Amino acid sequence: DTYSLLVTKSIAGDEVLEGSRYKLLWQKNLETEKNWEEALFYCENLEYAGFSDWRLPSINELFTMYNYEIRRFAVEITDYPHLFWSSSTKIGSPEEAYTFSALGGYTETREKNIEYGTFCVRGGGLCEGGFFWNGEGCVEDPCRYDPCKDIENALDECFPKSAKRSRCACAEGFFWDGKKCASPCKADSC
């Protein structure tokens, strides 16, 4: 089993994914086309597998559903969108929340009025504030101290990559080269 931490079970006639390591129970059937508020409402009101305490997962909890060694999400994505809402709102931008890509295992912030997939969870939460899930454990969030604020052409958006590395979102026409927002144009070639 490529997802040794996740076991498919049937509870009260519904299929769930159980993660023994983090004591999380996931709804196996995915919901699509919901904006962030609808996704929150859906999970908070879901009665599934005999439980009614479902919620929209945090971005850290969604990281546990992706196997980075084989680059696969725990649930096969076919007709579903590959981006899923998390309950995690972007700090300083309450109109945006984090989404998780089931195809690439990365996170992005999106406006909450856009419709994406919904995947509900119940059980204990992962990683308190200032920490993020890196696929193996909770580590200090490298975005905690806003490293993008002093980088030229960087937007006020940071994405953790590891305990010591992050990626800044760059202004239009620039890309993140690992250290700064760079221009693809070299000295007046554009």
Side-chain angles (χ1 to χ4, degrees):
D1 182 5
T2 56
Y3 296 98
S4 58
L5 298 179
L6 298 171
V7 177
T8 300
K9 293 175 111 177
S10 181
I11 300 176
D14 293 317
E15 281 197 331
V16 296
L17 291 169
E18 184 176 51
S20 60
R21 185 172 180 188
Y22 304 105
K23 309 296 184 221
L24 297 172
L25 194 64
W26 296 87
Q27 171 194 18
K28 190 163 183 186
N29 66 324
L30 309 174
E31 291 293 319
T32 59
E33 300 182 15
K34 295 188 184 315
N35 67 37
W36 187 79
E37 298 246 349
E38 292 168 339
L40 275 177
F41 182 84
Y42 170 77
C43 288
E44 289 172 0
N45 292 283
L46 179 65
E47 291 191 23
Y48 184 82
F51 299 102
S52 60
D53 60 345
W54 297 92
R55 59 185 168 76
L56 196 60
S58 72
I59 195 63
N60 292 319
E61 290 168 331
L62 283 167
F63 273 106
T64 71
M65 295 298 289
Y66 194 83
N67 185 324
Y68 288 90
E69 289 179 21
I70 62 171
R71 297 178 183 240
R72 280 200 45 220
F73 196 60
V75 176
E76 185 176 347
I77 305 299
T78 53
D79 297 333
Y80 298 105
H82 70 93
L83 288 177
F84 291 92
W85 282 119
S86 78
S87 62
S88 306
T89 295
K90 180 181 175 186
I91 296 173
S93 185
E95 69 280 352
E96 294 181 290
Y98 286 92
T99 59
F100 186 82
S101 170
L103 297 181
Y106 60 89
T107 180
E108 295 180 349
T109 56
R110 301 292 177 137
E111 289 184 13
K112 291 179 177 179
N113 61 348
I114 301 171
E115 295 181 342
Y116 291 114
T118 303
F119 200 31
C120 303
V121 68
R122 65 178 300 273
L126 291 176
C127 305
E128 297 299 319
F131 290 83
F132 85 103
W133 179 255
N134 71 352
E136 296 177 6
C138 294
V139 295
E140 186 172 0
D141 187 346
C143 296
R144 185 179 201 172
Y145 302 109
D146 198 12
C148 302
K149 72 179 178 192
D150 296 326
I151 295 178
E152 188 175 355
N153 299 308
L155 303 175
D156 189 25
E157 192 166 1
C158 178
F159 300 98
K161 294 180 71 84
S162 71
K164 296 182 180 179
R165 295 186 52 218
S166 60
R167 172 178 70 85
C168 297
C170 298
E172 188 172 338
F174 293 86
F175 68 95
W176 184 251
D177 73 356
K179 295 181 183 176
K180 65 184 183 308
C181 289
S183 171
C185 302
K186 296 185 180 177
D188 297 328
S189 65
C190 294

